[in-house]
Amino acid sequence: MDLLSALPDDVRSHILSFLTTKEAALTSVLSKKWRYMFTRVPILDVDDSVFLHPVEGKRERDGVLESFMDFVDRVLALQGDSPIKRFSLKCEDGVDPDRVNGWIRDVLRRGVSELDLSINLVDEVYNLPREMFVSKTLVKLKLTSEFGLHWWTGADVTFLPMLNSLHVASEMMIFYEDKMEKFLACFPVLEEAEMIGMDWTDSVDTVSSETLKKLSFHATGMSTILNPKSISFDTPNLRFLAYSDWVAEDYPLVNLNKLVEARIALSVTDDQTRRIRAPRKDLSEGDVVLQFGNVVKLMNGIRNVKELHLHPDTLEVLSLCCESMPVFNNLKMLIITSDEDRGWQAMPALLRNCPQLEFLLIKGLVHQVTNQCGDACDCIHKKQKGRSLKSCPVKVFVIRGFTGTMKEMNMIEHFLDYFPCLKKMNIYIEDVPTPLKYDRQFAERVLEMIEEYDYSYKCSVQLLNE
């Protein structure tokens, strides 16, 4: 008898739980002792691409998908009523939706606690089974689709009392006709939620939960209007927030007192960007851009964070509230993504208002030069050059996406000149074809300049590959 076969049944079952269901089923040919061992595994991982791998075009052959569905039916039948912990299902177009729902109902009946469903049925009007929306055992639920997800039961027929973690990702996610505030109330113990591709059903909504600790929220606006009228956050125990959305006209309530890390990506169109930069007198009465200054309410709500990530469009929007920018007294780490079409008008006010900042990372130094660019860069000559940098206590500065242009080199020297507490600057070369990658002489000149900076300043300056 081999060593594996001599192990206790529960140990062999645990070993098989690390394999896909197809791989576990293959062990049934080893011996009589292994024949039905795979049916005792409380974790099922079913993936039609694994079943069809590796023969190209196998999916289109007659009877192949039917064979896959028969395989899943047979595995579930052999397991009978045995308890199941986790069920993972990934299937593409061509699989019978009625049989898919039958599989889901089967594991729900057996008390499954973790459900991971990736269902991409192109030509089917597919609805998940009603039983899933009222499960008393589900603790983790992950739903993904490339073609849209519809939480068709609505909040009135949804109640998952044990759900701790929810992940929903789709090109378009529709929660019936319910507001987010009503939807989240269906999960009384939810601590972690990730919602990607969400469509607001109302222009005025509140993300509300007493129990949430981690929230990743990526909204896509509304079908009728782009910018929501009003978005509030009433999540007093939230520690982590990743919020991506079209900027709203107002943020009347932002209850995020325990927040530690925030990642804010507020999008605007190119036309809205142009109007944000325009003098107020040039905007017509009722222009939605006039309301974007209310983003300061959101910033006030997250002012206690220790780590803050900002998107290029967010910087543009923040330029509307430079004078009322809150002080981030606890902020230690600031990560900013830059873009050549978006400006740095808010950068000086932001850096001045981070009195405890230790670590700064900027992804891409190149940005749109504007008259309000301020003194954070040297794009436009200012009488009080570098003033906002002089009051910033940052010790470590990381630059990513470096291409070696003179504009970037001048900005690096500017930062070295005016950041008074800087101890380390790491510059990472952009991982795409640039002269730094293919022009040896150019790369050597840039390296010589970086080495000169490292020698001339008290700060350590290093050029590194990503």
Side-chain angles (χ1 to χ4, degrees):
M1 181 180 291
D2 63 88
L3 292 176
L4 280 177
S5 296
L7 294 171
D9 287 354
D10 58 342
V11 175
R12 287 187 292 140
S13 175
H14 180 68
I15 292 172
L16 293 182
S17 70
F18 293 97
L19 305 177
T20 67
T21 300
K22 178 190 175 183
E23 291 167 338
L26 291 174
T27 64
S28 63
V29 301
L30 295 176
S31 68
K32 288 184 178 180
K33 197 167 185 179
W34 285 92
R35 186 173 182 183
Y36 295 111
M37 180 54 61
F38 76 96
T39 66
R40 301 183 186 182
V41 179
I43 296 174
L44 291 180
D45 184 354
V46 180
D47 184 340
D48 67 354
S49 65
V50 172
F51 188 85
L52 302 173
H53 179 81
V55 181
E56 185 177 352
K58 186 177 178 181
R59 184 181 199 88
E60 286 72 34
R61 295 181 187 175
D62 290 341
V64 171
L65 285 175
E66 186 67 31
S67 177
F68 163 73
M69 291 184 283
D70 288 344
F71 168 75
V72 181
D73 287 341
R74 188 163 61 254
V75 170
L76 293 174
L78 287 169
Q79 288 195 325
D81 293 328
S82 60
I84 183 167
K85 179 183 178 182
R86 179 167 63 86
F87 180 56
S88 176
L89 172 65
K90 181 178 180 181
C91 58
E92 305 291 331
D93 198 39
V95 177
D96 184 352
D98 290 334
R99 292 174 79 170
V100 169
N101 280 356
W103 304 334
I104 298 171
R105 289 190 184 98
D106 183 281
V107 296
L108 287 168
R109 177 181 56 81
R110 291 156 55 192
V112 68
S113 59
E114 298 180 27
L115 206 53
D116 183 349
L117 306 175
S118 178
I119 302 174
N120 300 304
L121 305 179
V122 181
D123 299 322
E124 299 286 348
V125 178
Y126 174 68
N127 287 326
L128 289 157
R130 181 183 294 270
E131 292 86 344
M132 192 201 74
F133 301 100
V134 290
S135 169
K136 295 180 180 180
T137 61
L138 275 181
V139 176
K140 293 184 178 180
L141 177 60
K142 183 176 181 180
L143 304 173
T144 58
S145 175
E146 296 177 5
F147 304 107
L149 284 169
H150 188 193
W151 200 284
W152 65 275
T153 60
D156 291 336
V157 194
T158 297
F159 186 62
L160 298 172
M162 299 296 292
L163 197 70
N164 176 270
S165 175
L166 174 65
H167 172 102
V168 187
S170 174
E171 285 296 315
M172 181 177 66
M173 189 169 65
I174 303 173
F175 292 117
Y176 197 57
E177 296 179 354
D178 298 312
K179 288 189 174 186
M180 185 55 55
E181 184 174 17
K182 187 176 181 181
F183 175 73
L184 288 175
C186 301
F187 318 111
V189 298
L190 189 67
E191 293 188 359
E192 183 175 333
E194 183 172 17
M195 288 175 275
I196 301 173
M198 196 212 72
D199 219 7
W200 294 107
T201 58
D202 196 300
S203 64
V204 178
D205 210 338
T206 299
V207 178
S208 177
S209 172
E210 288 283 340
T211 59
L212 268 179
K213 294 180 180 179
K214 184 176 182 180
L215 175 61
S216 297
F217 196 78
H218 304 273
T220 56
M222 297 183 64
S223 57
T224 53
I225 61 172
L226 193 62
N227 302 94
K229 294 288 183 183
S230 168
I231 299 297
S232 293
F233 289 89
D234 189 11
T235 49
N237 292 301
L238 202 67
R239 267 65 169 181
F240 172 90
L241 172 65
Y243 174 47
S244 174
D245 194 6
W246 292 96
V247 61
E249 294 183 34
D250 198 10
Y251 298 91
L253 173 64
V254 184
N255 182 8
L256 296 167
N257 293 331
K258 293 185 179 180
L259 198 65
V260 176
E261 180 179 344
R263 303 183 178 197
I264 309 297
L266 300 176
S267 297
V268 288
T269 66
D270 288 342
D271 182 59
Q272 287 173 342
T273 299
R274 178 185 58 78
R275 283 147 52 203
I276 286 172
R277 296 173 186 169
R280 302 299 91 181
K281 62 181 179 62
D282 292 347
L283 299 179
S284 60
E285 186 177 351
D287 193 315
V288 67
V289 169
L290 293 172
Q291 305 301 319
F292 288 172
N294 284 324
V295 74
V296 71
K297 299 178 183 178
L298 177 61
M299 302 309 289
N300 273 317
I302 66 171
R303 67 185 181 277
N304 293 323
V305 296
K306 294 181 179 179
E307 182 174 336
L308 179 61
H309 298 237
L310 295 177
H311 183 270
D313 283 17
T314 309
L315 280 182
E316 281 284 355
V317 177
L318 290 179
S319 67
L320 297 171
C321 56
C322 288
E323 295 181 2
S324 54
M325 185 82 71
V327 177
F328 296 88
N329 283 313
N330 299 325
L331 193 66
K332 302 288 187 181
M333 183 178 295
L334 177 61
I335 292 91
I336 291 174
T337 302
S338 190
D339 186 275
E340 61 183 1
D341 295 323
R342 296 295 183 256
W344 278 18
Q345 302 95 295
M347 191 75 87
L350 190 60
L351 293 176
R352 283 196 302 270
N353 287 17
C354 300
Q356 304 299 325
L357 190 66
E358 296 178 357
F359 178 91
L360 173 64
L361 188 154
I362 298 181
K363 300 176 183 178
L365 292 178
V366 179
H367 58 277
Q368 182 71 44
V369 178
T370 69
N371 290 330
Q372 294 82 36
C373 212
D375 61 348
C377 63
D378 68 340
C379 301
I380 297 177
H381 179 72
K382 298 285 182 180
K383 290 182 179 179
Q384 296 180 326
K385 189 176 181 180
R387 183 181 62 174
S388 64
L389 306 187
K390 291 177 181 178
S391 62
C392 182
V394 66
K395 296 179 177 63
V396 179
F397 186 13
V398 174
I399 297 167
R400 293 194 181 275
F402 177 69
T403 62
T405 64
M406 282 308 302
K407 184 174 182 179
E408 290 171 299
M409 297 301 294
N410 290 337
M411 289 185 66
I412 287 170
E413 189 170 4
H414 174 73
F415 291 130
L416 290 168
D417 283 338
Y418 292 104
F419 274 138
C421 303
L422 201 61
K423 302 297 182 184
K424 179 189 291 187
M425 177 185 284
N426 287 343
I427 305 164
Y428 288 89
I429 300 170
E430 187 168 22
D431 193 20
V432 296
T434 65
L436 274 177
K437 294 284 187 178
Y438 59 78
D439 188 329
R440 183 175 179 178
Q441 287 187 330
F442 177 79
E444 288 177 349
R445 288 197 302 271
V446 170
L447 182 58
E448 286 175 3
M449 294 178 71
I450 297 296
E451 289 175 343
E452 179 64 27
Y453 293 153
D454 186 50
Y455 175 79
S456 303
Y457 291 90
K458 294 179 181 180
C459 169
S460 168
V461 185
Q462 299 295 320
L463 184 65
L464 306 166
N465 289 311
E466 288 281 6

